[in-house]
């Protein structure tokens, strides 16, 4: 008797969840004819101040440039940290006739590889990686995160007083790793005696542990922190609580999180890449190429926080590093 | 909440009347216009078969159920009890058939539960313990207030239940089948306590289906059958036979099995040694044999290795040493299934745990062992129509009262479940039958039927081991009686060779030789 | 490395451990109350999220941390009432209702976050309060007596919970309905009321556990902030044998090893990060495996009560 009511209640709960948390597709739909349609699947929230948000902001910017919703329809699925869910979403969008489906996470590669052949008219783009699987309708994209990492490293090395810098991250893969490798090279180019220590928490979502990792760095003497991925917000929180520890961001401009403490951020700007893929798609080239965001091609930018009074000579050194990397006189190894 | 129940003086209950009580359960009319009354200072026995509605009636007096119709008057004032708290407040206490105790609590905590403390909100167990000791002394209820309940014997647990009621100042105490779980010695102790309580002005309702106890303790007796009152009268004015007839609704004839010439040895047990659950030796070298067409009764106080022996013979407990031979074939290391195939049948002591699956239907329980037999399969599929026909036949043949073959077995009464298990086991025409406590918790009618069936099986040549704590049952049915004490056989006697007294002495661990010496 | 450095590392590990243990303590002690009364509430993580969101949002708009804490308590209470309604009154399967509650909490907190806050923001939450005198003791003062009020609260909760469960008539009633509700009922204890109260206490503490993250330890909120901590809290209840002191040791073990592995990484000790990350889980499971004297589980855990059914 009651049992049935319970089942209903539980299902309502599940429904509420299903409708809110991971998917929540939003964005105005349907306009007249010939609306270009892009769907994106992301591992974290579009408001993560990092990886997912960088892509979403770029898409929205392209949409505005193209003339709004009538010209470009956007849909997203966020919080798809479970790959099977993401795979289902990718297939869904493809079968709904989206022109481009972006699988925005290196963990989605095998799903794209499996699904793309079934939808030869749809362009799939995925990253961060360089592998198109030799398929004519798959683009791969990645960011040369080590380049911005190098620049941040140069700046950090010139600012640290304790000669100790802490790095936090979730897992040692992808652009989280390349960013940090570049960062270490940048630091060493200024002063090889500076100690850069790293912690990995093993989780993309455990903010509490990430925060504690940052606090540990601070307790061990670090006066500068940096790191990648979604849960860096926790690290910035720790830096902010301490009040005098500086932060270098990556993927997204993080200055707003701690206007006094963020020195600079490497910003991923996917707009150029997106526009190019759209153009190629319309011209009939559905895939087969790899994009790499670089300082040189404008995909990577260093956003100095205007709120932080960066000494002129430090800023100059940073800009010099940017120039050298762009010119190819400095080569940063990923 | 029973606020201050322990300290405040309760009203003295002079008279309780339950008038025209009607209580329905889904599909059952448990109490049908029952009228019942108790006066101060009497011991009123409520007698009836299992399922007659005794517990239901009393649970309404204790506020656990609300009557669907009818009235409860205490000292001529109408009362409505919404919960036990109200009944406790009115001065009523109840010792439940299944004890209402918390094993992980101490005696004092069990008693204090639900009461306000003198130092609210903090427990004051010292004070509670002191009062428990006083009550223990007063009524001969010896318990240690600081002992944990799980450490206590069943008899001690019952004393805790009585103390709980007395502690709350109950003047009317309901005892629901209090003797069902006790040894004869413990029953005597209980009766001493009950008599002291009555002398102190307490009023008792004593529920039982054992006649001699009712005759001994009660001043008035009411018989309940199928939810209806059959009659009430002073105990002194009625005979045992009249009471049986009122309970069962017909005459019950005592059995008198004819001696049989027994056949060859069917089951032979040599030097059997087995470990108990707690890692102690449960059987320390048991030898005996049972012939075809013979019932051997295994007597003993419970916990002396009976259960382990039965489980070991059935193949559900490992033997550490010794041999079990069935028709000269060594079956010591065979699992239950293989033993069943060879011709062993087993009626387990815990019928709901080991003999049936609660939520399965009657029919499904019939086929617990035989579901894979080729008789009922077409390839890998079960032949349902043939299974149904067979289940139907068994249910009819063994008089199992069930609404349908699809009724979950848990909804049947104890007697009917036991009849069904017997039907299933006997339908295989076993060579050897192990019957452990086959009539425990079973009503008189079903008991009579089960006894007849056992004797009939004996005539058909089955070798039967009857394990029972009911000495009367063993003496009536067995050709030979073996007495088990601390994992050893104290002696094996022919049916008419030994008196109750002699068997009793052996049950207490006196060797057969000495017993015979002492009593002759 | 010299001794001073060693000592400072140990102090650092313990300071971290105490902070990390805080949300687990609140949530696990809360769950202990619930389970002691016979109700398994697997929705702890969801309640923590709601509590974390509610307190964060209130602090964000009012700037008042006490109002924030109150919001977490109210949010926890509402979730507790919902759980009790489903599992006590309607007698639903507790495991499933708990998971439902978790998903509800996860979904609702995400939805509210998106609609009312939108992006990651930070607030000024409970600050560290150095306890006079005690806080000035070298090393020890820093480890134990220089934390936020919510951290102290979590540790004070342990003896308080022990006292309630072991020394009060009320605690006796909570335990009785978790062991044998029929027995409790027959002595006039209101089983449903006890379970409602216990589940709600548990949920309120889970709400505070969430607040200890969002307005004390992290001072921020984002979707799925707890990242499954509530489930670890439930596991700690089993680890701690349903006893506050056991939970204290379990939570401290887990968080100390976690802090230890972070420090080892910071100090550049050469262990693969994957191994380091697994360490707290592996050690906690190992401790559980070797611990003796298990099976203290409340006998009526997970069993709805209906009078007259035995
Ligand atoms: N809670 C219950 N729900 C449904 N049926 C019940 C319940 N309690 C008792 N009954 C039924 O009511 C009848 C009387 O039971 P009971 O009062 O326990 O008998 P007694 O105590 O005399 O053995 C039986 O048929 C029993 O199956
Ligand atoms: Mg009864």
């Amino acid at each position: 008797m009651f049992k049935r009511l319970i089942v209903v209640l539980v299902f309502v709960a599940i429904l509420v969840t299903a409708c809110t948390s991971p998917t929540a597709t939003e964005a105005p739909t349907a306009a007249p004819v010939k609306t270009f349609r892009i769907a994106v699947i992301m591992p974290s929230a579009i408001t993560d101040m990092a990886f997912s948000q960088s892509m979403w902001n770029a898409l929205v910017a392209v949409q505005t440039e193209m003339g709004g919703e009538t010209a470009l329809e956007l849909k997203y699925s966020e919080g798809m940290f479970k790959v099977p869910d993401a795979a289902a979403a990718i297939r869904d969008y493809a079968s709904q006739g989206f022109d481009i489906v972006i699988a925005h996470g290196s963990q989605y590669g095998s799903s794209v590889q499996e699904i793309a052949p079934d939808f030869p008219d749809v362009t799939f783009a995925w990253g961060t990686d360089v592998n198109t699987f030799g398929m004519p309708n798959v683009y791969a994209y990645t960011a040369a995160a080590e380049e911005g990492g190098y620049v941040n490293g140069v700046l950090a090395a010139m600012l640290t007083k304790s000669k100790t810098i802490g790095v936090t991250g979730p897992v040692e893969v992808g652009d989280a790793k390349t960013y940090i490798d570049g960062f270490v090279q940048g630091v060493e180019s200024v002063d090889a005696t500076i100690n850069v220590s790293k912690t990995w928490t093993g989780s993309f979502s455990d903010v509490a542990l990430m925060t504690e990792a940052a606090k540990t760095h601070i307790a061990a003497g670090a006066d500068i922190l940096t790191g990648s991925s979604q849960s860096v917000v926790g690290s910035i929180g720790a830096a902010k609580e301490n009040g005098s520890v500086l932060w270098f961001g990556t993927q997204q401009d993080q200055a707003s999180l701690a206007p006094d403490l963020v020195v600079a951020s490497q910003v991923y700007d996917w707009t150029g890449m997106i526009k190019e893929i759209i153009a190629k798609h319309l011209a009939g080239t559905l895939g087969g190429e790899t994009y790499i965001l670089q300082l040189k091609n404008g995909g990577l930018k260093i956003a100095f926080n205007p709120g932080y009074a960066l000494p002129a000579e430090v800023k100059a050194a940073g800009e010099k590093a940017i120039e050298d990397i762009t010119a190819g006189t400095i080569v940063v190894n990923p | 909440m029973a606020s201050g129940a322990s300290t405040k003086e309760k009203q003295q209950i002079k008279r309780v009347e339950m008038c025209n009580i009607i209580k329905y359960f889904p599909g059952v009319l448990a109490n049908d216009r029952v009228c019942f009354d108790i006066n101060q200072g009497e011991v009123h026995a409520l007698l009836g078969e299992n399922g007659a509605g005794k517990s239901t009636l009393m649970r309404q007096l204790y506020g656990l159920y609300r009557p669907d119709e009818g009235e409860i008057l205490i000292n001529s004032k109408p009362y409505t009890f919404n919960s036990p708290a109200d009944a406790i407040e009115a001065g009523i206490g109840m010792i439940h058939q299944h004890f209402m105790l918390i094993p992980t609590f101490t005696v004092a905590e069990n008693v204090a539960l639900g009461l306000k403390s003198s130092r609210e909100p903090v427990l004051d167990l010292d004070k509670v313990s002191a009062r428990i000791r006083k009550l223990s002394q007063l009524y001969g209820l010896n318990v240690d207030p600081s002992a944990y309940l799980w450490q206590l014997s069943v008899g001690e647990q019952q004393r805790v239940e009585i103390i709980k009621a007395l502690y709350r100042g109950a003047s009317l105490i309901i005892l629901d089948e209090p003797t069902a779980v006790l040894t004869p010695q413990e029953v005597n102790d209980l009766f001493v306590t009950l008599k002291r309580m009555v002398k102190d002005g307490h009023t008792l309702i004593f529920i039982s289906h054992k006649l001699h106890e009712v005759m001994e303790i009660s001043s008035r007796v009411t018989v309940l059958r199928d939810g209806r009152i059959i009659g009430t009268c002073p105990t002194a004015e009625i005979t045992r036979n009249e009471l049986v007839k009122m309970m069962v609704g017909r005459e019950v004839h005592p059995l008198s099995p004819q001696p049989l010439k027994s056949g060859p040895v069917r089951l032979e047990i040599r030097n059997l040694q087995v470990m108990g659950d707690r890692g102690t030796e449960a059987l320390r070298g048991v030898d005996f044999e049972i012939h075809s067409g013979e019932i051997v009764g295994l007597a003993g106080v419970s916990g002396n290795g009976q259960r382990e022996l039965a489980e070991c013979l059935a193949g559900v407990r490992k033997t550490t040493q010794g041999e079990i031979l069935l028709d000269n074939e060594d079956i010591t290391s065979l699992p239950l299934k293989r033993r069943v195939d060879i011709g062993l049948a087993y009626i387990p002591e815990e019928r709901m745990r080991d003999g049936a699956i609660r939520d399965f239907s009657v029919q499904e329980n019939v086929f617990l062992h035989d579901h894979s037999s080729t008789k009922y399969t077409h390839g890998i599929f079960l032949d349902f129509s043939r299974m149904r026909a067979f289940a139907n036949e068994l249910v009819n043949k063994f008089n199992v009262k069930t609404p349908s073959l699809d009724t979950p077995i848990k909804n049947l009464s104890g007697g009917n479940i036991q009849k069904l298990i017997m039907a299933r086991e006997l339908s295989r025409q076993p060579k050897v039958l192990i019957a452990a406590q086959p009539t425990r918790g079973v009503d008189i009618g079903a008991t009579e039927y089960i006894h007849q069936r056992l004797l009939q099986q004996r005539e058909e040549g089955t070798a039967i081991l009857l394990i029972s704590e009911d000495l009367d049952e063993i003496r009536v049915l067995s050709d030979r009686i073996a007495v088990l004490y601390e994992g050893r056989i104290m002696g094996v006697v022919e049916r008419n060779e030994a008196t109750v007294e002699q068997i009793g002495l052996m049950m207490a661990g006196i060797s057969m030789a000495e017993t015979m010496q002492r009593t002759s | 490395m010299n001794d001073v450095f060693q000592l400072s590392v140990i102090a650092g590990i313990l300071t971290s451990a105490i902070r990390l243990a805080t949300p687990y303590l609140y949530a696990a002690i809360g769950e202990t109350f619930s389970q002691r009364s016979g109700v398994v509430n697997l929705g702890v993580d969801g309640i923590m999220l709601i509590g974390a969101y509610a307190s964060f949002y209130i602090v964000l708009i009012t700037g008042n941390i006490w109002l924030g804490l109150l919001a977490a308590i109210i949010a926890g209470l509402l979730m507790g009432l919902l759980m009790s309604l489903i599992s006590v009154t309607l007698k639903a399967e507790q495991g499933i209702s708990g998971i439902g509650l978790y998903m509800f909490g996860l979904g609702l907190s995400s939805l509210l976050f998106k609609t009312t806050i939108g992006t990651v923001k930070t607030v000024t939450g409970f600050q560290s309060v150095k306890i006079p005198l005690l806080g000035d003791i070298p090393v020890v003062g820093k480890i134990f007596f220089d934390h936020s009020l919510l951290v102290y609260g979590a540790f004070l909760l342990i003896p308080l919970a022990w006292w309630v469960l072991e020394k009060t008539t009320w605690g006796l009633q909570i335990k009785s309905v978790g062991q044998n509700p029929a027995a409790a009922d027959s002595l006039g204890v209101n089983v449903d009321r006890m379970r409602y109260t216990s589940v709600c206490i548990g949920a309120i503490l889970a709400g505070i556990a969430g607040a200890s993250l969002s307005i004390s330890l992290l001072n921020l909120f984002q979707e799925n902030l707890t990242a499954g901590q509530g489930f670890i809290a439930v596991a700690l209840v089993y680890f701690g044998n349903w006893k506050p002191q056991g939970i204290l040791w379990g939570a401290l073990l887990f968080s100390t090893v976690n802090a230890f592995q972070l420090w080892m990484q910071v100090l550049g000790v050469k262990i693969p990060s994957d191994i380091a990350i697994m360490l707290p889980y592996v050690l906690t499971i190992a401790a559980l495996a070797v611990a003796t004297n298990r099976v203290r589980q409340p006998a009526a855990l997970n069993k709805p009560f209906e009078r007259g059914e035995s």
Side-chain angles (χ1 to χ4, degrees):
Chain A
M1 5 166 238
F2 279 136
K3 297 272 156 68
R4 199 162 305 157
L5 181 57
I6 311 308
V7 173
V8 171
L9 270 178
V10 169
F11 274 92
V12 168
I14 294 172
L15 211 69
V16 170
T17 322
C19 298
T20 52
S21 148
T23 28
T25 53
E26 187 52 60
T29 35
V33 258
K34 270 286 161 196
T35 303
F36 199 82
R37 302 170 76 206
I38 299 180
V40 58
I41 292 94
M42 294 176 293
S44 51
I46 55 162
T47 54
D48 70 351
M49 290 302 280
F51 188 64
S52 297
Q53 188 167 0
S54 70
M55 175 57 77
W56 182 247
N57 287 358
L59 285 166
V60 172
V62 171
Q63 185 185 47
T64 313
E65 206 171 307
M66 284 173 66
E69 292 142 16
T70 46
L72 175 60
E73 178 193 339
L74 294 177
K75 277 212 171 185
Y76 69 82
S77 292
E78 61 178 348
M80 307 299 277
F81 50 88
K82 286 192 218 120
V83 174
D85 293 350
I90 294 169
R91 190 174 282 281
D92 258 14
Y93 286 128
S95 56
Q96 283 170 27
F98 277 81
D99 298 294
I100 301 177
V101 177
I102 303 175
H104 190 51
S106 47
Q107 63 269 51
Y108 303 150
S110 56
S111 310
V112 170
Q113 188 178 10
E114 194 183 306
I115 296 166
D118 298 347
F119 300 93
D121 299 335
V122 178
T123 289
F124 293 86
W126 80 286
T128 52
D129 207 296
V130 294
N131 192 350
T132 62
F133 311 117
M135 291 178 187
N137 61 336
V138 174
Y139 287 108
Y141 58 82
T142 187
E146 65 276 10
E147 297 185 358
Y150 187 96
V151 178
N152 278 355
V154 168
L155 299 172
M158 296 180 73
L159 290 174
T160 179
K161 296 193 184 71
S162 67
K163 293 198 178 289
T164 305
I165 296 173
V167 176
T168 55
V171 270
E172 206 172 351
V173 293
D175 61 343
K177 181 177 183 312
T178 52
Y179 167 75
I180 286 160
D181 289 345
F183 184 86
V184 172
Q185 291 169 55
V187 171
E188 282 170 354
S189 75
V190 175
D191 181 352
T193 64
I194 292 174
N195 170 31
V196 181
S197 63
K198 307 168 208 169
T199 51
W200 306 97
T201 61
S203 163
F204 282 93
S205 54
D206 195 338
V207 189
L209 197 59
M210 189 66 84
T211 305
E212 200 55 47
K215 286 181 180 170
T216 305
H217 282 296
I218 295 169
D223 61 354
I224 292 181
L225 296 177
T226 188
S228 76
S229 163
Q230 300 79 358
S231 36
V232 293
V233 287
S235 307
I236 301 181
K240 206 169 151 181
E241 187 183 302
N242 176 277
S244 62
V245 171
L246 300 177
W247 174 261
F248 285 89
T250 182
Q251 296 173 334
Q252 173 75 12
D253 187 351
Q254 293 161 346
S256 65
L257 284 174
D260 303 335
L261 304 174
V262 175
V263 179
S265 304
Q266 162 172 248
V267 180
Y268 291 1
D269 184 353
W270 307 100
T271 46
M273 176 195 89
I274 295 167
K275 282 192 280 189
E276 205 172 323
I277 291 181
I278 294 173
K280 286 207 172 136
H281 178 92
L282 291 172
T285 311
L286 300 190
E289 287 170 32
T290 297
Y291 288 91
I292 300 176
L293 298 190
Q294 290 172 311
L295 289 169
K296 190 165 56 183
N297 62 18
L300 296 179
K301 295 194 176 92
I302 302 297
F304 291 96
N305 175 12
Y308 180 80
L310 188 63
E313 76 274 14
V314 180
K315 187 165 185 181
E319 274 163 354
K320 171 93 173 34
I322 298 173
E323 267 168 42
D324 289 349
I325 294 170
T326 310
T329 44
I330 291 179
V331 179
V332 191
N333 303 313
Chain B
M1 203 141 292
S3 48
S6 63
T7 46
K8 200 166 60 192
E9 259 317 302
K10 295 257 166 66
Q11 67 168 340
Q12 202 60 34
I13 296 186
K14 299 221 162 51
R15 185 172 162 77
V16 174
E17 290 155 275
M18 299 182 79
C19 311
N20 287 312
I21 301 289
I22 295 181
K23 180 70 192 170
Y24 288 98
F25 287 118
V28 184
L29 180 50
N31 288 153
D32 184 4
R33 281 164 289 145
V34 170
C35 295
F36 181 75
D37 65 275
I38 317 113
N39 298 311
Q40 186 177 11
E42 76 172 340
V43 179
H44 195 141
L46 195 53
L47 188 64
E49 291 265 70
N50 279 315
K54 308 180 295 289
S55 299
T56 303
L57 183 66
M58 287 302 118
R59 284 169 163 223
Q60 294 169 85
L61 184 53
Y62 191 62
L64 279 166
Y65 301 146
R66 290 272 290 271
D68 293 324
E69 270 175 52
E71 253 194 322
I72 296 174
L73 305 175
I74 298 177
N75 298 344
S76 303
K77 274 200 303 262
Y79 272 73
T80 310
F81 297 148
N82 289 316
S83 81
D86 297 341
I88 293 170
E89 195 54 42
I92 298 173
M94 181 160 177
I95 317 304
H96 299 266
Q97 194 169 351
H98 304 287
F99 294 156
M100 295 290 193
L101 293 166
I102 293 163
T104 52
F105 284 11
T106 64
V107 170
E109 286 172 334
N110 267 285
V111 172
L113 179 61
L115 294 176
K116 279 241 157 67
S117 139
S118 53
R119 295 193 298 154
E120 200 65 23
V122 184
L123 280 169
D124 190 355
L125 292 177
D126 292 340
K127 218 167 189 168
V128 174
S129 301
R131 253 198 86 195
I132 292 175
R133 283 197 201 92
K134 221 156 124 197
L135 286 170
S136 314
Q137 253 173 12
L138 210 56
Y139 296 102
L141 293 161
N142 191 21
V143 286
D144 171 10
S146 64
Y148 283 94
L149 251 289
W150 56 265
Q151 298 172 315
L152 303 187
S153 72
V154 173
E156 288 172 309
Q157 292 183 20
Q158 187 172 64
R159 282 177 236 153
V160 177
E161 283 284 33
I162 297 174
I163 288 173
K164 267 163 63 182
L166 291 171
Y167 195 100
R168 284 165 172 69
S171 58
L172 169 68
I173 296 181
I174 306 161
L175 299 121
D176 194 350
E177 308 223 11
T179 60
V181 290
L182 301 183
T183 65
Q185 180 56 30
E186 285 173 326
V187 171
N188 287 340
D189 293 347
L190 173 67
F191 281 7
V192 171
T193 299
L194 295 187
K195 282 170 189 162
R196 273 200 221 175
M197 285 163 60
V198 173
K199 222 161 94 192
D200 249 30
H202 288 94
T203 308
L204 304 179
I205 299 176
F206 181 87
I207 303 181
S208 180
H209 58 244
K210 293 190 186 157
L211 289 165
H212 59 268
E213 292 171 359
V214 169
M215 300 304 280
E216 181 182 342
I217 193 85
S218 69
S219 49
R220 206 146 58 105
V221 54
T222 293
V223 178
L224 209 56
R225 185 172 80 225
D226 291 340
R228 268 187 233 128
I229 296 283
I230 303 299
T232 301
C233 78
T235 316
E237 293 171 19
I238 195 161
T239 67
R240 271 177 87 135
N241 283 347
E242 284 169 314
L243 283 176
V244 172
K245 209 170 147 192
M246 287 167 81
M247 266 170 81
V248 185
R250 60 179 165 83
E251 299 278 356
V252 174
H253 302 288
L255 291 171
S256 51
Q258 298 306 308
L260 268 186
K261 213 173 99 60
S262 56
V265 172
R266 279 245 125 122
L267 183 73
E268 189 174 352
I269 295 162
R270 286 202 214 120
N271 187 29
L272 198 64
Q273 298 185 22
V274 172
M275 289 305 226
D277 289 335
R278 301 210 182 99
T280 52
E281 278 181 84
L283 295 181
R284 305 154 189 255
V286 168
D287 298 87
F288 65 85
E289 74 291 316
I290 310 177
H291 297 255
S292 167
E294 183 186 41
I295 297 182
V296 171
L298 189 72
V301 176
S302 90
N304 275 288
Q306 293 97 320
R307 189 164 58 85
E308 289 83 358
L309 177 61
E311 289 176 358
C312 183
L313 293 178
V316 293
R317 180 179 287 272
K318 250 171 70 184
T319 312
T320 40
Q321 214 178 319
E323 285 176 335
I324 306 167
L325 306 177
L326 197 159
D327 278 352
N328 287 324
E329 186 183 343
D330 187 349
I331 61 165
T332 318
S333 52
L334 297 186
L336 171 66
K337 180 89 182 70
R338 296 280 307 281
R339 296 185 194 203
V340 166
D341 294 341
I342 293 176
L344 184 100
Y346 174 43
I347 299 174
E349 174 176 342
E350 297 273 345
R351 69 181 76 100
M352 281 316 262
R353 199 189 65 195
D354 304 330
I357 298 178
R358 291 174 63 84
D359 295 308
F360 278 23
S361 71
V362 168
Q363 171 170 338
E364 284 162 337
N365 270 293
V366 165
F367 291 99
L368 275 190
H369 296 301
D370 285 341
H371 54 82
S372 57
S373 146
T374 47
K375 266 195 287 182
Y376 307 111
T377 50
H378 284 318
I380 59 163
F381 298 104
L382 296 172
D383 182 344
F384 281 107
S385 61
R386 198 182 293 180
M387 287 170 77
R388 202 160 180 86
F390 180 73
N392 213 9
E393 186 190 319
L394 281 191
V395 163
N396 288 335
K397 207 164 112 192
F398 279 77
N399 246 333
V400 181
K401 281 188 207 123
T402 171
S404 82
L405 289 181
D406 302 318
T407 308
I409 198 165
K410 64 177 178 196
N411 290 359
L412 269 53
S413 76
N416 283 308
I417 294 169
Q418 191 69 318
K419 282 196 273 185
L420 188 75
I421 293 174
M422 274 200 74
R424 180 182 75 203
E425 297 297 312
L426 297 185
S427 69
R428 289 195 295 265
Q429 284 305 330
K431 296 174 183 162
V432 172
L433 171 67
I434 314 297
Q437 318 287 359
T439 60
R440 181 193 276 175
V442 169
D443 57 55
I444 296 179
T447 298
E448 186 190 19
Y449 186 81
I450 289 169
H451 286 171
Q452 281 167 1
R453 276 283 167 185
L454 287 174
L455 289 174
Q456 187 184 333
Q457 206 61 38
R458 161 179 175 259
E459 271 160 40
E460 287 170 18
T462 305
I464 300 174
L465 178 66
L466 170 67
I467 302 174
S468 174
E469 279 156 34
D470 183 347
L471 206 48
D472 295 338
E473 176 173 56
I474 290 211
R475 279 170 44 84
V476 169
L477 295 176
S478 315
D479 298 293
R480 287 186 299 145
I481 299 168
V483 182
L484 194 64
Y485 176 76
E486 293 199 338
R488 290 202 180 84
I489 301 281
M490 301 308 294
V492 182
V493 293
E494 297 285 328
R495 181 210 311 270
N496 296 319
E497 218 175 76
T499 62
V500 179
E501 194 193 352
Q502 285 166 337
I503 296 174
L505 281 174
M506 287 197 272
M507 280 165 69
I510 316 286
S511 75
M512 187 161 150
E514 195 179 329
T515 300
M516 294 306 168
Q517 225 172 20
R518 274 203 214 177
T519 50
S520 61
Chain C
M1 290 184 210
N2 60 44
D3 289 343
V4 178
F5 188 56
Q6 298 278 19
L7 190 63
S8 75
V9 169
I10 292 169
I13 290 174
L14 293 178
T15 316
S16 284
I18 282 173
R19 277 196 297 258
L20 284 173
T22 297
Y24 294 119
L25 288 176
Y26 280 114
I29 290 292
E31 180 71 6
T32 303
F33 275 93
S34 184
Q35 293 205 5
R36 273 300 184 94
S37 81
V39 182
V40 176
N41 182 357
L42 292 182
V44 181
D45 206 54
I47 303 173
M48 284 174 72
L49 282 167
I50 298 277
Y53 165 78
S55 53
F56 181 81
Y57 181 63
I58 294 299
V59 173
L60 189 67
I61 57 173
T62 67
N64 186 325
I65 49 177
W66 296 104
L67 280 181
L69 186 62
L70 183 68
I73 290 172
I74 293 171
L77 177 65
L78 291 176
M79 292 291 275
L81 286 171
L82 181 61
M83 178 70 191
S84 323
L85 176 74
I86 297 171
S87 64
V88 180
T89 305
L90 303 180
K91 309 190 195 307
E93 214 292 310
Q94 292 175 4
I96 295 174
S97 345
I99 294 295
L101 195 72
Y102 160 65
M103 291 193 289
F104 175 71
L106 176 64
L108 186 64
S109 62
S110 301
L111 180 69
L112 289 172
F113 170 70
K114 256 181 270 185
T115 49
T116 61
I117 304 174
T119 180
V120 178
K121 289 184 181 148
T122 56
V123 293
T124 308
F126 282 86
Q127 300 297 309
S128 288
V129 178
K130 193 153 122 189
I131 295 181
L133 300 178
L134 290 175
D136 295 326
I137 305 171
V139 189
V140 175
K142 180 79 192 139
I143 299 173
F144 296 107
F145 303 111
D146 189 8
H147 289 285
S148 92
L149 289 178
L150 287 184
V151 175
Y152 297 128
F155 283 83
L156 291 178
L157 191 61
I158 304 291
L160 180 67
W162 174 85
W163 181 78
V164 168
L165 285 171
E166 299 302 324
K167 296 289 165 194
T168 67
T169 49
W170 193 60
L172 195 69
Q173 295 187 14
I174 292 178
K175 291 186 291 183
S176 73
V177 300
Q179 287 290 351
N180 186 347
D185 180 55
S186 79
L187 292 178
V189 175
N190 188 330
V191 175
D192 283 6
R193 193 199 295 159
M194 283 327 287
R195 288 189 168 175
Y196 258 83
T197 345
S198 305
V199 170
C200 287
I201 289 175
I204 287 172
L205 290 175
I208 297 177
S212 77
L213 287 171
S214 69
I215 61 169
S216 171
L217 296 172
L218 312 179
N219 294 325
L220 60 87
F221 185 87
Q222 70 169 25
E223 288 169 50
N224 193 18
L225 181 78
T226 55
Q229 290 194 7
F231 291 97
I232 292 178
V234 175
L236 284 173
V237 174
Y238 287 78
F239 179 95
N241 248 341
W242 292 269
K243 290 193 181 114
Q245 49 295 28
I247 285 160
L248 175 65
W249 299 129
L252 281 181
L253 173 70
F254 183 76
S255 51
T256 306
V257 179
N258 227 336
F260 171 79
Q261 64 93 358
L262 286 179
W263 269 95
M264 291 306 105
Q265 291 193 44
V266 167
L267 295 179
V269 176
K270 290 271 171 286
I271 35 169
S273 61
D274 301 336
I275 306 270
I277 291 155
M278 280 188 326
L279 209 58
Y281 298 91
V282 171
L283 272 188
T284 308
I285 291 168
L288 196 56
V290 299
T292 50
N293 191 18
R294 296 271 97 213
V295 296
R296 287 270 172 213
Q297 169 164 336
L301 196 60
N302 228 334
K303 295 191 186 113
F305 172 69
E306 190 128 44
R307 185 177 281 170
E309 264 192 7
S310 55

